[in-house]
Amino acid sequence: PRMRAQGRRRSAVRAAMLARCLVANSRRRAGAQCLGTRWCGAVGHESNRLEDLLHTAATDRAELKSQLKAQGDVNRQRTEMLLKSLQAAELDRAELRNELASLTRDFDHLAHKFKDETVGSRERVQRKGIKGRGAQSRMAYRPSIEYAEKQPTHVCELSHQSLAELAMLNDHCAIRERLLREVMAVDHISWGQAHEVLNTFDRYNEKFYWFETLPYRIGITLAFVGGIASAFMVFEPTVAEWYGVNIAGEELPEGVESIDEMTINQVGTWTWSWMEPMIGTASFVLLCAQFTRAQASKMNMKTYSDRILGWRADRLSQAFPQYDSSMVRAWAKHLPKVGYDFFPNYEANFRQKGPASGL
């Protein structure tokens, strides 16, 4: 019985130990399962966070890549613009160099021409055998063929300054050329076409030309007729006898029955008794008129000619107000040349290198 009891106690102990092992194993398994569950949750959470970080990093990488690309495009455009600017600057620099070289050549040419035109800058030629460097010691300047070929042949070849200086001296050719250039500048036409405008001015002035020049024509006619008539009335026997007997109421000299018996000088001596008062009075009247006009000119009083030309100039400048009035008036204060037939010869009747050239 003792052996059986010991066997039963040993079996019970073994069963208890086995139960404890089973309970410990179950506990260990449960703990392992709990730890695995916790670790899996932690790993899943970390993996999700890593995926989010990778997605954010990919997004940032794509955005940064697009920004870098845009910045590269901007830099490339700036580089191209700078290259174009450098090329344009290089072209401008080359052009400026060419212009500077051209201006330098032109300046040297102008300086050479100015030196040639200046009397004091011409080359001095010393006379042989003359001491000193006075005026008699140098030879007079002789123009060369090249210099002679460049002289102006028409007033249109003169500069503005030369024309202005000549116009102030009342040179009609210079005044006419200045008006031509004014017409060219206003109407934007050529020099040849500007002459047609001046022809229009002539036609406009011709409306009152005959009225303006009528006193001169009457004076010329009366002077011409009076000079010839006075000569005939003094020395021509037939005319002298008719005028002396019928107009002056004189008789032939004593002892003369016919005018044919008298010589021309005797006729002049006979007619001078009544012709002298008329001729002397007429001469004195003309002398007084001439003296009056001279004194009026000294007082800067306008004569009939000045008033007529001033009215003529004012009328033309008012009819064509688009042109400079001073140039138009200066040109209009000039009457055209007149032939022996008393008809005016306008500038339109001459060629452009005719009398209006001024040279």
Side-chain angles (χ1 to χ4, degrees), residues 202 209 335-350:
D202 281 333
Y209 173 76
L335 294 175
K337 294 183 178 181
V338 180
Y340 292 110
D341 54 357
F342 278 19
F343 280 89
N345 295 325
Y346 293 103
E347 296 174 354
N349 300 329
F350 299 99

Side-chain angles (χ1 to χ4, degrees), residues 279-297:
I279 295 176
T281 303
S283 300
F284 184 74
V285 169
L286 293 177
L287 180 63
C288 292
Q290 185 178 4
F291 179 79
T292 302
R293 190 181 190 282
Q295 301 308 311
S297 299

